[in-house]
Amino acid sequence: MDTTRMEALIGMVTVLGILVLLVLPAVIGVMRDRRIDRQLREAEQASALDQRGHQDQKSSSKPTVPSTATWYAEGRRSKKLVSS
């Protein structure tokens, strides 16, 4: 191999290396986006299956108790009605 061919080979390898460095982040981003899309699709399918299987179930199985503020407000309202 003479000097001209060696310089051409080094130049070509350098250009290909720079091209790989420029394209690599885009390829990684596309792969990441596809993975996220697949996970979202799987979550939607699981959610749809879960909703179809549990349509009659209420949002919470434990009973709710009014807060202190509700008790206080109800007492104040009843006192107002009685005094009028």
Side-chain angles (χ1 to χ4, degrees):
M1 246 184 178
D2 59 343
T3 308
T4 308
R5 287 186 178 174
M6 188 61 112
E7 288 177 0
L9 181 64
I10 291 172
M12 192 182 332
V13 168
T14 303
V15 168
L16 288 175
I18 292 171
L19 180 67
V20 166
L21 287 175
L22 290 174
V23 171
L24 188 63
V27 170
I28 291 172
V30 167
M31 289 171 41
R32 181 176 175 262
D33 285 347
R34 285 190 177 189
R35 178 178 50 90
I36 291 170
D37 288 343
R38 187 185 70 241
Q39 289 173 346
L40 288 173
R41 229 182 355 261
E42 289 172 357
E44 281 180 354
Q45 289 173 353
S47 175
L49 287 174
D50 189 41
Q51 284 180 357
R52 273 189 252 144
H54 298 92
Q55 282 180 351
D56 56 359
Q57 182 180 1
K58 295 183 180 178
S59 62
S60 177
S61 58
K62 58 183 179 179
T64 58
V65 178
S67 67
T68 307
T70 307
W71 286 94
Y72 178 74
E74 285 177 359
R76 301 261 310 167
R77 271 187 249 133
S78 63
K79 287 180 186 175
K80 252 185 189 176
L81 291 174
V82 171
S83 63
S84 340

